[in-house]
Amino acid sequence: MFLSPNDEDLNEQIERIIAGENEFHKSMFRMLANFDDEDLIVLERLVKKPAQAKE
């Protein structure tokens, strides 16, 4: 599998965060990694809601 340059940058950033000392940042990635499709849909709605209210 080949990664696009943007995917490679994202992977590097994630690796840097996981290797870092900030436990909150690491726990956020762990939580997202365990989300199922329904969880991700709910999160997407929550993230988009404030943006839609501004429109």
Side-chain angles (χ1 to χ4, degrees):
M1 169 172 58
F2 295 100
L3 298 174
S4 73
N6 288 337
D7 289 341
E8 289 178 13
D9 290 343
L10 178 60
N11 283 339
E12 288 175 14
Q13 291 171 357
I14 292 170
E15 287 175 10
R16 180 182 48 80
I17 291 168
I18 295 299
E21 296 181 16
N22 189 312
E23 290 301 319
F24 175 75
H25 294 170
K26 290 191 269 189
S27 69
M28 291 295 296
F29 278 99
R30 288 186 191 108
M31 178 186 64
L32 287 170
N34 290 312
F35 275 11
D36 61 20
D37 289 343
E38 186 175 327
D39 295 329
L40 292 171
I41 290 169
V42 171
L43 180 60
E44 182 178 3
R45 287 183 188 147
L46 288 170
V47 169
K48 287 183 174 180
K49 190 173 185 174
Q52 291 171 343
K54 292 181 182 179
E55 294 176 354

